């Protein structure tokens, strides 16, 4: 209907949402290739670009060798959503940078933004009536999958904004 009515923006948003849903379902798999997880979060960021305009930009770094590494699905989108909703709130725009590295036996993923930063320096989040379930859910899921074999850190960047670091065990199959 959006295509028929010439609403290109809505058509794009619906197409991106469909991709997100397919990746989120991922045939019932809990772990998906890192390239699919990044495609999922990129769809979300493209939707936000349509919504917010060109003042919101992003970059993703993924070495080819890491494309098939397995990670829990939907662990990056809530982090990016927080950057946009809270970090860029009241600002004209912002930039998100996602960088993936294979260090020793771990996959390290950093998500950095140039937003307002954290008012709470502790980096500890608990769900409240107002929300806060996204980060809490990620931490709980990572602990369920990997126990003490994972690391999740949120901290303010010196130059402004927030850096979220996830370190996960290397899983290729």
């Amino acid at each position: 209907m959006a295509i028929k009515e010439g609403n290109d923006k809505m058509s794009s948003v619906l197409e991106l949402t469909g991709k997100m849903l397919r990746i989120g379902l991922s045939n019932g798999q809990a772990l998906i290739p890192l390239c699919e997880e990044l495609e999922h979060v990129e769809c979300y960021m493209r939707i936000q670009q349509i919504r917010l305009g060109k003042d919101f930009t992003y970059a993703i770094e993924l070495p080819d060798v890491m494309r098939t590494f397995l990670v829990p699905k939907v662990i990056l989108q809530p982090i990016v959503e927080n950057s946009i909703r809270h970090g860029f709130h009241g600002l004209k725009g912002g930039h998100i940078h996602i960088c993936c590295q294979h260090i020793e036996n771990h996959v390290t993923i950093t998500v950095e933004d140039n937003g307002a930063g954290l008012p709470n320096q502790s980096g500890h989040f608990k769900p409240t009536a107002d929300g806060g379930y996204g980060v809490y859910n990620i931490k709980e899921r990572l602990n369920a999958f990997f126990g003490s074999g994972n690391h999740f850190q949120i901290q303010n960047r010196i130059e402004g904004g927030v850096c979220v670091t996830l370190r996960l065990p290397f899983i290729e199959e």
Side-chain angles (χ1 to χ4, degrees):
M1 286 176 12
I3 293 170
K4 187 176 178 181
E5 293 178 13
N7 191 337
D8 295 337
K9 285 184 178 181
M10 184 55 69
S11 175
S12 294
V13 167
L14 291 171
E15 181 182 343
L16 292 165
T17 301
K19 281 184 183 179
M20 287 181 68
L21 291 171
R22 281 188 293 281
I23 293 168
L25 292 172
S26 60
N27 295 320
Q29 298 298 311
L31 298 174
I32 63 174
L34 181 55
C35 64
E36 289 182 25
E37 176 63 13
L38 290 169
E39 182 180 5
H40 182 267
V41 76
E42 184 171 18
C43 288
Y44 178 78
M45 290 189 291
R46 288 179 56 198
I47 290 169
Q48 295 308 314
Q49 276 186 321
I50 292 168
R51 190 175 74 82
L52 300 172
K54 295 186 184 222
D55 291 332
F56 168 62
T57 60
Y58 66 88
I60 299 174
E61 291 181 47
L62 175 64
D64 283 340
V65 70
M66 295 181 67
R67 294 180 56 79
T68 59
F69 292 3
L70 298 178
V71 297
K73 64 183 174 184
V74 192
I75 57 171
L76 297 178
Q77 184 274 329
I79 296 167
V80 169
E81 181 178 345
N82 280 348
S83 290
I84 295 168
R85 288 188 67 208
H86 304 294
F88 301 155
H89 180 73
L91 302 177
K92 191 171 186 175
H95 181 76
I96 293 175
H97 181 234
I98 300 173
C99 180
C100 305
Q101 296 177 301
H102 182 209
I103 302 171
E104 296 177 5
N105 293 336
H106 294 91
V107 173
T108 300
I109 304 169
T110 57
V111 180
E112 296 182 315
D113 69 55
N114 65 348
L118 294 170
N120 173 2
Q121 287 288 329
S122 72
H124 298 289
F125 296 91
K126 292 183 182 175
T128 67
D130 297 330
Y133 287 93
V135 170
Y136 179 80
N137 185 358
I138 293 168
K139 290 171 84 169
E140 290 297 308
R141 288 176 50 227
L142 292 177
N143 286 334
F145 277 110
F146 307 118
S148 62
N150 82 89
H151 174 76
F152 184 97
Q153 182 180 27
I154 302 174
Q155 61 187 19
N156 280 324
R157 296 175 48 212
I158 294 170
E159 56 276 289
V162 171
C163 178
V164 178
T165 304
L166 292 89
R167 190 184 76 221
L168 312 173
F170 165 69
I171 302 173
E172 197 166 22
E173 294 180 14

